[in-house]
């Protein structure tokens, strides 16, 4: 009797968990609105365009709309959150060795001094070594 009671208790716990998950999924599907990004059970990602009774219209790419039954929507995709880099937000100017303020124009001119000229073809490169030894660079 004890083994039967344990088995029935385990079945009840598993089924109550499943029912809870099904209720949460049904509530999620009932609360879909236009603009939500979702994924279908087959893996299609799209944005909800229209919700009509049991039919959800998704737009997977601009102009490409497909219709899905409400039960085929698996989950809502949360938009990615961009991390704000504090260094990009600061508008402080750099100071060089002479304590002069370095402007953006100075940074651009310094960057242009370090430009490397890359040839368009191999004709301007020196010939390959013929002695069979690998290059050491």
């Amino acid at each position: 009797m004890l083994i039967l009671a344990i088995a029935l208790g385990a079945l009840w716990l598993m089924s109550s968990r499943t029912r809870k998950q099904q209720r949460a999924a049904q509530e999620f599907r009932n609360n879909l609105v236009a603009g939500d990004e979702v994924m279908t059970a087959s893996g299609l990602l799209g944005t909800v365009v229209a919700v009509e009774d049991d039919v959800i219209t998704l737009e997977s790419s601009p102009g490409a709309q497909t219709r899905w039954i409400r039960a085929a929507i698996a989950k809502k995709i949360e938009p990615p959150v961009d991390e704000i880099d504090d260094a990009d937000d600061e508008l402080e100017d750099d100071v060089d060795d002479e304590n002069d303020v370095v402007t953006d124009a100075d940074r651009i001119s310094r960057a242009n001094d370090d430009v490397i000229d890359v040839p368009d073809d191999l004709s301007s490169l020196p010939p390959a070594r013929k002695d069979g030894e690998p290059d050491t660079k």
Side-chain angles (χ1 to χ4, degrees):
M1 291 298 270
L2 183 62
I3 293 174
L4 183 62
I6 290 173
L8 289 175
L11 285 174
W12 182 80
L13 288 174
M14 287 189 286
S15 66
S16 67
R17 182 175 180 219
T18 303
R19 280 192 309 267
K20 183 179 177 182
Q21 288 175 343
Q22 287 174 347
R23 270 186 267 134
Q26 185 64 32
E27 182 180 324
F28 148 73
R29 289 183 188 115
N30 289 336
N31 294 329
L32 287 175
V33 294
D36 287 346
E37 288 196 36
V38 296
M39 183 177 79
T40 64
S42 62
L44 177 82
L45 298 173
T47 304
V48 176
V49 176
V51 179
E52 305 165 358
D53 296 332
D54 202 28
V55 177
I56 308 289
T57 304
L58 297 180
E59 183 175 52
S60 57
S61 62
Q65 295 184 356
T66 55
R67 295 174 45 153
W68 296 81
I69 60 171
R70 192 179 292 267
I73 307 298
K75 65 180 180 176
K76 183 175 180 179
I77 305 296
E78 297 297 327
V81 178
D82 293 335
E83 293 184 20
I84 299 174
D85 188 13
D86 292 335
D88 291 341
D89 292 340
E90 294 178 7
L91 299 175
E92 298 177 11
D93 290 330
D94 292 338
V95 178
D96 64 3
D97 294 337
E98 294 87 27
N99 292 328
D100 294 332
V101 175
V102 177
T103 63
D104 289 336
D106 292 335
R107 287 189 202 126
I108 292 171
S109 67
R110 289 181 189 167
N112 288 339
D113 292 340
D114 298 333
V115 173
I116 299 172
D117 186 27
V118 178
D120 291 337
D121 58 5
L122 297 176
S123 63
S124 63
L125 295 177
R129 295 178 59 170
K130 303 231 187 237
D131 59 0
E133 292 186 26
D135 288 335
T136 57
K137 287 187 180 181

